[in-house]
Amino acid sequence: MTTVSVDESFTGRVYPPNGTTTVTADAVRAFARAVRAAHPSHHDAEAARALGHRDVVAPPTFAVTLAQAAEAQFITDPAAGIDFSRVVHGEERFTHHRPVVAGDELAAEVHVDRVRVVRGNAMVTTRTELTLTDGTPVTTVTSTLVVRAEEEA
Amino acid sequence: MSVEDVQVGTELPLARYELSREDLAAYAEASGDRNPIHLDEATARSVGLPDVIAHGMLTMGLAGTVVADWAGDPTRVLSFGTKFTAPVVVPADAPAVVEVTGTVVALDPAAGTAEVDLTVTSAGAKVLTRARAVVGLT
């Protein structure tokens, strides 16, 4: 087994928001269907309003759609040296500061919290802070990817 | 879900989901994660996988649905994290089965929260470990 080449000096790097994304009701509904989330507040704006929300609310893991798009800035950065074909998902965590609701305009800032090589595999931990455009925190998404070492030929 | 209804040891009802290749395609579309290892058998095998596998985030999403349904309002799931330890293999001819159960492992009466441990298995293997959610109670 050989050691993967991932640039550990990327630890601490921050990728500022690359524009904003507006969460649509259609995106919330499609994601909810895909994860079998049948709760009416995902699908019906009236049901969401009855629970005190402005519009349909996102399932607990919906924020991954915005986080993964933002993390790609780092993961696909040729300088970081990550071989995407050898990447597997190690860990994922969501901390919700406020619900994600259709109509939210969100910005994603990616922090590279840790890059380290363990037994030849690289572990890459990113933290994506999703905020409203006025800076209000919405969700913190922490993701650890494992870049598997090549088998020795 | 109110605080009177919950105690340490309270169990969430078992949920059983079937995942077909079409379900993976729908998740890929809805999430934007179109990695071909979830969609194309030849690609999956070329990187050493036994077959097409489900997105780890799809499995985590199903577990999130179980907690949200139990909470009664999805926005009461305040935090949710997991480790991915085994793939969910999805053959072409029969759906994969994912089973989710959960147990309340801690209560914080001051914060009004319950901590739920989820057990997520497929084909006899634990696919998520340390799957834990914090739920706000009323």
Side-chain angles (χ1 to χ4, degrees):
Chain A
M1 187 182 281
T2 56
T3 292
V4 292
S5 61
V6 170
D7 189 340
E8 294 184 59
S9 75
F10 271 68
T11 298
R13 198 167 288 210
V14 178
Y15 291 81
N18 183 9
T20 60
T21 304
T22 301
V23 176
T24 68
D26 282 349
V28 167
R29 290 189 187 107
F31 189 90
R33 278 194 299 272
V35 297
R36 314 284 174 85
H39 195 277
S41 66
H42 300 307
H43 302 277
D44 173 15
E46 283 306 320
R49 281 194 272 276
L51 290 172
H53 308 297
R54 189 188 63 235
D55 202 337
V56 291
V57 300
T61 62
F62 174 84
V64 73
T65 64
L66 296 141
Q68 273 181 346
E71 289 159 16
Q73 292 178 81
F74 162 58
I75 304 299
T76 63
D77 184 342
I82 295 171
D83 176 356
F84 195 69
S85 74
R86 306 203 63 81
V87 165
V88 293
H89 205 158
E91 298 181 30
E92 188 82 6
R93 162 165 295 282
F94 301 86
T95 304
H96 296 297
H97 312 293
R98 171 195 172 284
V100 175
V101 180
D104 283 348
E105 187 179 349
L106 299 177
E109 183 172 79
V110 179
H111 298 248
V112 181
D113 276 354
R114 189 151 70 159
V115 180
R116 65 197 173 114
V117 176
V118 182
R119 291 191 294 276
N121 300 316
M123 313 274 288
V124 177
T125 301
T126 57
R127 172 172 46 90
T128 301
E129 300 288 356
L130 295 174
T131 58
L132 297 178
T133 50
D134 67 2
T136 303
V138 175
T139 299
T140 302
V141 184
T142 308
S143 179
T144 299
L145 300 180
V146 182
V147 191
R148 293 176 302 142
E150 299 270 358
E151 293 300 320
E152 199 89 74
Chain B
M1 185 60 49
S2 78
V3 77
E4 296 79 37
D5 301 328
V6 182
Q7 47 197 315
V8 171
T10 295
E11 296 199 353
L12 279 61
L14 168 75
R16 186 177 182 280
Y17 300 102
E18 293 191 348
L19 291 180
S20 68
R21 297 270 178 93
E22 290 70 32
D23 294 321
L24 305 198
Y27 183 81
E29 209 46 48
S31 69
D33 182 347
R34 297 183 182 84
N35 187 330
I37 63 170
H38 307 303
L39 303 168
D40 178 61
E41 205 167 302
T43 304
R45 291 188 196 278
S46 76
V47 296
L49 295 168
D51 204 333
V52 163
I53 62 168
H55 304 71
M57 285 308 307
L58 170 52
T59 311
M60 186 180 185
L62 296 175
T65 295
V66 170
V67 181
D69 284 349
W70 179 75
D73 175 344
T75 65
R76 292 215 193 121
V77 181
L78 305 178
S79 70
F80 183 28
T82 193
K83 287 179 69 138
F84 301 95
T85 44
V88 173
V89 178
V90 183
D93 53 353
V97 175
V98 175
E99 290 192 326
V100 184
T101 58
T103 307
V104 175
V105 293
L107 290 173
D108 184 339
T113 56
E115 203 168 303
V116 177
D117 251 8
L118 294 146
T119 301
V120 184
T121 57
S122 182
K126 265 192 153 188
V127 294
L128 304 182
T129 56
R130 281 196 239 156
R132 198 162 274 207
V134 173
V135 175
L137 305 170
T138 53

